[in-house]
Amino acid sequence: MVSQLTQSPLQIANPEQLERIRHTCAHVMAMAVQILFPETKVTIGPTTDAGFYYDFVRVASRNENRPQPFTPEDLKKITKQMRFIIKANLPIIREEVTREEIKAEIEQLEESYKLEILDSISEGETITRYYIGSPDGGRLPNVGEKLKSALPEPSLIKPVKIPATVSWWDLCAGPHLNYTGEINPKAFVLESVAGAYWRGDETKAQLQRIYGTVWETPEQLSAYLQQQEEAKRRDHRKLGKDLKLFSIQEGAGGGLVFWHPRGATMRYIIEDYWRKAHLDAGYELLYTPHVANLELWKTSGHFDFYRENMFDSMDIEEQAYQIKPMNCPFHVLTYKNDLHSYRELPLRWAELGTVYRYERSGVLHGLMRVRGFTQDDAHIFCLPTQIAGEILGVLNLTEKILSDFGFKDYEVNLSTRPDKSVGTDEGWELATQALVEALNNKGWDYLEDKGGGAFYGPKIDIKIKDAIGRTWQCSTIQVDFNLPERFGMEYVAADGSRQRPIMIHRAIFGSLERFYGILIENYAGDFPLWLAPIQVRLLPVSEAQREYAEAVAANLKQAGYRVEIDCSGERLGKQIRNAELEKIPVVAVVGKREVETQTLSIRTRQQGDIGTMTLAELRANLAQVLVNKNKI
């Protein structure tokens, strides 16, 4: 039985309170920055999964528009100022304002970025700002009499008197704490500074982004920082280079992955496993083109709704062609090639399809965010009455595949109908209830994200938990009312009428590249035997033992094992050390005694030196480990 997410030092008892802490800590940081560096302008400061950040405009001087980065020394000063603001226990006051009055104030402050933020707020939407200001003194600067009555109830922390002139505000929808003193001053850290562009647009102004993390308790902060240190050790970009698995060749373009021999070997193993698992589960395999006429993407709606993530089209014989960002329309065209009967459904079609999506260079990140990647895509075309059964089948297959790769703790989310959607009320109700029924039959707990579904159907998202407690979004199961309608998909029903099939999108890995990055980090490059690109390395002590080593290698290769001989000519100690650094699961030392006795001296990653074995004994041990998909 696969468990749901287990408790960890970072498990949060009150997520809503932590969200308020993070919003408020972001504002406290921005206030501290503007106290210390009055020329600095603030832009946006959202929360993140682990804390918050704020983007600032800071230039070298009034006469020079060159960005002025924050230094490590600046971060120390900002941290000290933040602790002073927290200790002062200032009240945090929410005020609803009219567009006209707040615009006038912003113009007076010459905060042009705030004006853009204000303009982005829809007409009729409530506009709010939050003050950090003094609870004492009878006058709250820039706040006005109407806000005195809006002060929150006193918190459990006794207020610290401060001058009445202390006040700061920013546009924000909240939520926030009542007082700054509700932040534990020992539970936050300013982590780093990075460059960013306004609105993520490289053609706009460059900003300075300060990242911070904040938690409810110092213990949670300590656990998070330890996790971050461990994450650095496991960084797939570093391990990918050290273990010679993959590279990103900037000469070819950012976000394009080069799989090196060892990485390509692992990809072959993963793909081979995936194909067999799908064939065993009743899927059929497809291969589809990498480009298609632009009209296809207009019919599917991707050109209208997804254009910013698509590469530019190319002209071929006076027709526009588009490199594919999705596989879905190709599977739809394959379906439409024939008229199907209800007796043929469900059809389960799967493809390892490579797609290309435009990502800004600033957001590219190793294997996790790329421009070309292979999705483990599958589409199920079924009858309305078959949805629940098919979803349950996908959940079972997902569990089997993820658990075989070592992931057994999940967080499951069900996202339901948003305000803007296509499809009938009856269709949405049927699909949503089918997802709920499948989850209940599976026995999995889930969180409901009301209104979080796509405009074309409800979905299930599955996050996996890795070896150091981080969660990663991988698997998605999505019901789609949109594409069958857009493409006029049909099947012949039992009464002879033409009906729309239900279309279910699903991916288990998400993409091979990202899943591989997660695998590297989960195992810290120390892969189980069945996945390891090199399973056994033979270490001949001298040239005199090479012939025996080659005979052993040939025997193991004939049995299907991935084997290599160390040909470096280094001393034995250095050969062993190199194998350790390269995380080779099994090392077999071949010396004079081993040749004479026709044995091998075996060392494994998990147990170290385990003594001598015959070749037959080694093969038997390897076979047993492979059956259980364990490390050795």
Side-chain angles (χ1 to χ4, degrees):
M1 174 65 183
V2 175
S3 64
Q4 302 293 295
L5 281 179
T6 53
Q7 292 291 317
S8 76
L10 296 178
Q11 203 76 21
I12 305 303
N14 190 342
E16 292 80 11
Q17 176 68 359
L18 184 58
E19 183 73 3
R20 288 190 287 270
I21 289 171
R22 288 174 172 168
H23 265 288
T24 300
C25 202
H27 276 214
V28 168
M29 180 182 72
M31 179 179 181
V33 167
Q34 290 200 304
I35 289 173
L36 293 169
F37 311 103
E39 76 285 357
T40 303
K41 305 295 185 184
V42 299
T43 63
I44 58 171
T47 61
T48 66
D49 289 342
F52 57 90
Y53 69 80
Y54 235 106
D55 286 346
F56 299 96
V57 180
R58 187 183 180 208
V59 295
S61 67
R62 286 185 177 274
N63 299 324
E64 192 177 355
N65 201 32
R66 176 171 51 86
Q68 176 68 39
F70 291 100
T71 67
E73 283 302 313
D74 291 336
L75 293 191
K76 291 178 183 177
K77 294 176 184 177
I78 296 165
T79 298
K80 186 175 181 180
Q81 185 66 42
M82 288 174 68
R83 291 202 169 110
F84 175 80
I85 295 168
I86 291 168
K87 183 180 179 182
N89 200 27
L90 300 174
I92 298 156
I93 305 162
R94 177 182 183 274
E95 180 191 22
E96 293 187 10
V97 295
T98 66
R99 189 177 298 272
E100 292 72 23
E101 64 181 325
I102 196 67
K103 183 176 182 180
E105 286 193 47
I106 293 172
E107 288 174 341
Q108 186 176 2
L109 293 171
E110 298 182 348
E111 291 270 15
S112 60
Y113 293 92
K114 277 192 173 69
L115 279 178
E116 281 197 48
I117 294 169
L118 179 64
D119 290 340
S120 69
I121 300 174
S122 302
E123 289 294 335
E125 188 177 345
T126 300
I127 301 172
T128 58
R129 64 172 161 187
Y130 279 82
Y131 279 94
I132 300 177
S134 170
D136 293 312
R139 181 178 70 85
L140 296 174
N142 304 323
V143 180
E145 290 297 320
K146 65 178 179 177
L147 288 177
K148 289 184 180 178
S149 61
L151 285 173
E153 291 294 320
S155 69
L156 298 177
I157 305 168
K158 185 177 179 181
V160 177
K161 290 187 178 181
I162 62 168
T165 54
V166 176
S167 182
W168 181 92
W169 64 266
D170 198 5
L171 291 170
C172 186
H176 283 273
L177 300 170
N178 290 334
Y179 286 88
T180 60
E182 294 173 59
I183 299 171
N184 190 316
K186 296 182 179 180
F188 81 89
V189 167
L190 299 186
E191 296 180 284
S192 62
V193 179
Y197 292 101
W198 175 236
R199 299 297 197 192
D201 188 338
E202 296 166 5
T203 65
K204 294 187 177 179
Q206 187 173 2
L207 312 174
Q208 302 301 311
R209 176 173 295 177
I210 299 179
Y211 285 98
T213 185
V214 63
W215 300 84
E216 294 177 289
T217 67
E219 292 75 20
Q220 289 175 345
L221 174 63
S222 177
Y224 167 76
L225 294 176
Q226 289 177 20
Q227 185 190 72
Q228 291 302 100
E229 283 302 309
E230 180 62 19
K232 289 179 184 177
R233 186 180 76 83
R234 294 167 177 262
D235 190 323
H236 74 281
R237 295 168 296 177
K238 179 180 184 301
L239 289 171
K241 181 178 180 180
D242 293 346
L243 300 179
K244 302 177 182 178
L245 302 174
F246 72 91
S247 65
I248 307 293
Q249 300 289 335
E250 294 303 328
L256 302 173
V257 181
F258 286 68
W259 295 77
H260 293 210
R262 293 183 186 178
T265 296
M266 291 188 70
R267 175 168 175 158
Y268 172 82
I269 295 163
I270 294 167
E271 289 184 352
D272 194 51
Y273 169 93
W274 181 91
R275 289 188 183 94
K276 185 178 186 307
H278 281 75
L279 291 171
D280 289 347
Y283 285 77
E284 298 175 293
L285 303 181
L286 297 182
Y287 292 93
T288 59
H290 287 241
V291 296
N293 193 294
L294 185 61
E295 292 303 313
L296 176 66
W297 307 105
K298 291 181 178 179
T299 301
S300 69
H302 289 100
F303 186 76
D304 292 327
F305 300 110
Y306 205 72
R307 190 185 317 179
E308 64 182 24
N309 298 105
M310 296 166 63
F311 283 99
D312 291 341
S313 59
M314 62 191 87
D315 184 72
I316 300 176
E317 296 179 349
E318 299 184 353
Q319 292 191 59
Y321 277 74
Q322 177 68 51
I323 193 166
K324 69 176 177 180
M326 302 277 188
N327 297 304
C328 324
F330 292 81
H331 291 201
V332 171
L333 290 185
T334 305
Y335 178 95
K336 282 176 60 68
N337 193 64
D338 299 294
L339 180 61
H340 298 278
S341 164
Y342 73 96
R343 293 187 180 90
E344 298 175 61
L345 304 183
L347 292 173
R348 306 183 191 102
W349 290 344
E351 177 181 16
L352 291 169
T354 300
V355 299
Y356 302 88
R357 297 179 188 173
Y358 172 69
E359 298 278 6
R360 295 184 185 278
S361 58
V363 302
L364 297 175
H365 181 80
L367 297 175
M368 305 301 189
R369 198 82 178 261
V370 293
R371 287 172 172 160
F373 55 94
T374 300
Q375 289 184 305
D376 66 318
D377 241 341
H379 296 93
I380 299 171
F381 304 101
C382 66
L383 306 174
T385 56
Q386 295 172 330
I387 300 175
E390 289 304 306
I391 297 295
L392 180 59
V394 174
L395 294 177
N396 288 334
L397 182 59
T398 299
E399 178 182 33
K400 172 180 168 46
I401 290 177
L402 293 180
S403 61
D404 277 352
F405 282 94
F407 300 106
K408 299 187 178 182
D409 285 349
Y410 311 136
E411 177 185 299
V412 182
N413 293 276
L414 171 66
S415 300
T416 59
R417 189 177 192 175
D419 292 335
K420 294 182 179 179
S421 62
V422 298
T424 65
D425 292 344
E426 294 79 12
W428 274 89
E429 179 66 20
L430 174 69
T432 304
Q433 287 306 309
L435 298 185
V436 170
E437 180 184 339
L439 287 169
N440 289 338
N441 288 339
K442 185 64 183 167
W444 283 359
D445 295 330
Y446 61 90
L447 302 173
E448 184 175 345
D449 179 11
K450 293 185 177 179
F455 74 92
Y456 51 83
K459 65 175 180 173
I460 295 171
D461 290 315
I462 299 174
K463 296 179 181 179
I464 58 176
K465 180 182 176 183
D466 71 9
I468 61 173
R470 299 172 299 178
T471 57
W472 302 88
Q473 170 65 50
C474 279
S475 310
T476 298
I477 307 164
Q478 172 83 63
V479 178
D480 186 354
F481 304 115
N482 182 49
L483 288 186
E485 189 68 33
R486 280 181 170 270
F487 281 93
M489 298 175 68
E490 294 179 334
Y491 67 90
V492 180
D495 62 2
S497 63
R498 303 289 181 92
Q499 302 293 330
R500 292 267 185 269
I502 298 294
M503 183 176 183
I504 300 171
H505 306 254
R506 47 113 296 195
I508 295 175
F509 297 148
S511 81
L512 282 182
E513 286 75 7
R514 187 169 180 275
F515 187 74
Y516 186 52
I518 295 169
L519 275 178
I520 294 171
E521 298 200 3
N522 181 64
Y523 288 111
D526 191 3
F527 302 109
L529 185 68
W530 77 280
L531 275 174
I534 301 168
Q535 295 171 316
V536 180
R537 178 176 287 174
L538 298 167
L539 310 183
V541 174
S542 70
E543 192 64 30
Q545 289 84 45
R546 184 166 301 280
E547 183 178 349
Y548 177 58
E550 289 175 349
V552 171
N555 183 290
L556 289 172
K557 288 179 179 178
Q558 185 67 30
Y561 296 103
R562 298 181 290 279
V563 188
E564 69 176 24
I565 300 173
D566 189 319
C567 299
S568 66
E570 298 281 1
R571 289 181 300 177
L572 180 61
K574 182 66 179 296
Q575 290 184 51
I576 292 173
R577 176 61 177 159
N578 287 342
E580 285 290 317
L581 291 175
E582 294 176 42
K583 305 181 189 294
I584 307 298
V586 180
V587 170
V589 176
V590 182
K592 182 178 179 181
R593 182 170 59 87
E594 285 76 22
V595 174
E596 291 173 350
T597 59
Q598 294 292 285
T599 60
L600 301 160
S601 290
I602 304 299
R603 296 176 59 90
T604 73
R605 289 280 300 164
Q606 302 300 306
Q607 298 171 274
D609 190 347
I610 61 174
T612 60
M613 290 183 185
T614 65
L615 179 56
E617 289 171 334
L618 175 60
R619 283 180 53 171
N621 277 290
L622 293 174
Q624 184 60 43
V625 173
L626 287 177
V627 166
N628 298 320
K629 287 187 165 56
N630 291 332
K631 292 185 179 180
I632 189 170

